[in-house]
Amino acid sequence: AGVGRRLDRAALLESLLDPGARIAEGFGTVSVTLSDGSTVDGIVVKETSGALTLRLPEGGQQEIPISEVRERRTSSLSAMPPMEEVLTPRELRDLVEYLASWR
């Protein structure tokens, strides 16, 4: 909501072509190493003093007790793929115009 008010068309295009350039809060991925040595990657949905809830790449969510977290790393990679691999130039243009209209 309000993306057209926050970003101009150039910034919208950049975020579609290079999603990792500026990752909006709430959309960055984290990698959590658990006490058993396993790793869980996802986007933080909720965090409390007792648990961390991640939205998983394959869908669904996983709640991890904080007591089981050995290490937590924030990734500089975006969960969104570059859209130039998915959309044609015309579709990118149309999407930028659509997003710019969300004021």
Side-chain angles (χ1 to χ4, degrees):
V3 71
R5 186 175 50 251
R6 291 189 311 275
L7 300 174
D8 64 17
R9 284 173 174 77
L12 289 168
L13 181 60
E14 176 190 39
S15 64
L16 291 168
L17 297 177
D18 186 9
R22 287 186 278 170
I23 300 175
E25 177 140 354
F27 291 95
T29 57
V30 296
S31 182
V32 178
T33 303
L34 304 178
S35 54
D36 68 1
S38 64
T39 303
V40 180
D41 298 320
I43 296 173
V44 177
V45 174
K46 182 179 176 185
E47 185 170 3
T48 66
S49 60
L52 179 66
T53 304
L54 300 181
R55 182 177 329 123
L56 304 175
E58 59 275 0
Q61 296 183 354
Q62 181 173 348
E63 185 175 293
I64 303 167
I66 294 295
S67 62
E68 292 184 21
V69 175
R70 182 190 312 163
E71 182 182 8
R72 175 179 169 174
R73 292 177 308 280
T74 302
S75 174
S76 61
L77 299 176
S78 171
M80 184 175 92
M83 289 293 108
E84 65 189 339
E85 298 172 8
V86 178
L87 302 174
T88 66
R90 182 182 183 119
E91 290 169 331
L92 277 169
R93 184 200 66 208
D94 291 346
L95 181 55
V96 167
E97 287 305 310
Y98 173 74
L99 293 171
S101 74
W102 279 81
R103 301 198 171 267

